[in-house]
Amino acid sequence: MTSSGKRRRAPREPRAARAPRTPRAGESGGPFAGEDPQRLISSEPRRAKPRLSEAEENFAAVHDSDGVRLQKVLAQAGVASRRVCEDLIAEGRVEVDGRVVVEPGVRVLPEKVTIHVDGVRLSLDVTHRYVMFNKPAGVVTTMTDPQGRPCIEDHLDASMKAARLVHVGRLDRETEGLLLLTNDGELAHRLTHPSYEVPKTYLVEVRGKVPRSLGRTLTEGIALEDGPIAVDAFREIASAQGRSMVEVTLHSGRNRIVRRIFEQVGHPVTRLVRTAIGEITIGDQPQGTVRDLGARELGHLMDLTSAPPPSGQGTSKGKQDQQDSTTQQAPTSRTHRGAGHRGRGGHR
């Protein structure tokens, strides 16, 4: 109380210090609530909310009077309702060009900014489509096949065919698992370019009992006819009846690289399944089916390829991987969609 006996009024809490009350990502009432919770991938830790002076500075840095209100941009991107998006902004859970914005009145030009919600980057271009295909064995990695073999378009609906999708990278005819399809040529190029070192994970069944030392051997690297190669991670899962099951992660895009690695160490591959690209996993999606990527999955892929290529891209290793990956980069126009027909069974 004051000396006059009146109760002192508590100072008004600044907007930047408002306590979070909106549910977390994937929960009912929170951002990305409509997505399958089993497909929600991890995101970067949320940044601390800015002090009032920093919040004002951030507002001035990103606000464009000719733009669209930020909460409307978020709602149109499928994050949540406009009201929930206003709460997310006020709670400091939205970044625009790396700055935490806490004022819903900010306006931005969607085509000129990068927006993250709870660490998940948003795709603001509604003209592009991103699809995951769980490729079965026996399907060739081409959109159409003049020889009449099973191909990708056999598994697409009319809207996906109309979207003029192309495959991102390539799996050989007998390799199964995750294959991305898109009409976003720039993202497809980045995902397949060796300089971005996008990790891919495979489940590999091989002949024979693999020795305990194999993981160390492969992570340290072995020599192949086209140069040395090392895996990023190795894990033995099981072995029985003259077969072993292992999981490997690597970022090389060289031709049939997984099969050649195990052939070199004396354990030929009997079955090969790609299970993940980065943190995007095939999960329990049935073979032969397709589905659109969720917002968080797409944001993860965009973040994987948002950093500039490493400075070592001009090394002999980078040049070799670049040369080997050129046959698997997604074409950018319809006229090139049959490029995979000329006797190329694919990679891995």
Side-chain angles (χ1 to χ4, degrees):
M1 290 189 179
T2 64
S3 58
S4 60
K6 295 182 179 180
R7 183 180 299 275
R8 184 184 299 276
R9 188 174 183 177
R12 181 178 179 180
E13 186 180 25
R15 183 181 294 276
R18 177 170 162 178
R21 61 181 178 83
T22 307
R24 293 179 297 179
E27 296 180 345
S28 178
F32 315 109
E35 296 190 22
D36 186 339
Q38 294 183 347
R39 296 182 178 133
L40 292 179
I41 61 176
S42 61
S43 57
E44 294 295 323
R46 192 185 310 163
R47 292 188 182 184
K49 289 180 289 187
R51 297 178 180 274
L52 189 57
S53 58
E54 183 183 352
E56 293 173 349
E57 179 182 332
N58 290 350
F59 179 93
V62 304
H63 179 71
D64 191 314
S65 58
D66 295 327
V68 182
R69 284 189 179 273
L70 182 56
Q71 61 267 39
K72 182 177 180 180
V73 174
L74 301 183
Q76 290 177 338
V79 173
S81 69
R82 194 176 299 189
R83 178 58 185 272
V84 171
C85 290
E86 290 179 355
D87 291 337
L88 293 173
I89 296 169
E91 292 166 12
R93 295 165 65 176
V94 179
E95 294 176 37
V96 179
D97 289 341
R99 293 176 176 267
V100 177
V101 177
V102 295
E103 175 53 64
V106 69
R107 291 177 176 269
V108 298
L109 295 175
E111 67 275 13
K112 294 185 177 181
V113 296
T114 299
I115 300 176
H116 288 75
V117 177
D118 282 355
V120 179
R121 181 170 171 174
L122 301 186
S123 173
L124 305 178
D125 189 340
V126 298
T127 64
H128 289 147
R129 193 163 183 181
Y130 308 86
V131 173
M132 179 187 293
F133 175 40
N134 188 351
K135 175 188 167 308
V139 174
V140 293
T141 307
T142 56
M143 302 309 292
T144 59
D145 186 69
Q147 301 178 33
R149 296 173 296 180
C151 61
I152 296 172
E153 281 201 346
D154 296 339
H155 300 269
L156 305 183
D157 60 30
S159 68
M160 293 178 181
K161 293 177 181 178
R164 302 166 70 90
L165 303 175
V166 295
H167 48 87
V168 180
R170 191 180 294 275
L171 296 176
D172 66 32
R173 187 172 182 176
E174 296 309 315
T175 299
E176 309 163 47
L178 195 163
L179 187 65
L180 295 177
L181 312 173
T182 186
N183 52 9
D184 184 345
E186 177 60 25
L187 181 62
H189 169 74
R190 288 172 175 246
L191 286 171
T192 54
H193 196 288
S195 296
Y196 288 94
E197 300 187 345
V198 175
K200 280 86 66 177
T201 301
Y202 298 85
L203 196 61
V204 193
E205 183 186 80
V206 300
R207 293 178 188 169
K209 174 71 171 72
V210 300
R212 291 185 177 181
S213 60
L214 184 60
R216 181 174 181 178
T217 298
L218 295 184
T219 53
E220 290 180 348
I222 61 173
L224 297 178
E225 67 276 9
D226 56 352
I229 185 67
V231 303
D232 300 326
F234 176 95
R235 180 169 67 98
E236 182 179 355
I237 297 175
S239 62
Q241 300 179 344
R243 295 280 193 274
S244 296
M245 185 74 71
V246 301
E247 181 185 77
V248 296
T249 300
L250 70 169
H251 58 265
S252 173
R254 288 150 66 176
N255 184 29
R256 297 174 63 86
I257 190 62
V258 177
R259 294 184 184 275
R260 291 195 290 128
I261 286 173
F262 285 94
E263 183 74 33
Q264 181 69 19
V265 296
H267 295 279
V269 173
T270 57
R271 187 182 181 191
L272 182 58
V273 183
R274 182 195 280 169
T275 58
I277 297 177
E279 293 185 40
I280 310 303
T281 63
I282 201 68
D284 58 0
Q285 181 177 333
Q287 278 202 342
T289 64
V290 292
R291 68 170 178 85
D292 289 293
L293 292 184
R296 297 189 76 180
E297 293 174 315
L298 178 55
H300 173 65
L301 291 181
M302 296 175 71
D303 277 338
L304 271 180
T305 58
S306 62
S311 58
Q313 65 178 349
T315 64
S316 58
K317 178 181 181 297
K319 290 178 180 178
Q320 178 67 59
D321 279 359
Q322 170 68 61
Q323 182 181 16
D324 290 329
S325 68
T326 54
T327 58
Q328 70 170 12
Q329 291 179 14
T332 56
S333 68
R334 185 76 176 187
T335 58
H336 292 97
R337 290 177 66 179
H341 300 326
R342 302 185 183 94
R344 294 183 184 271
H347 297 291
R348 315 295 185 276

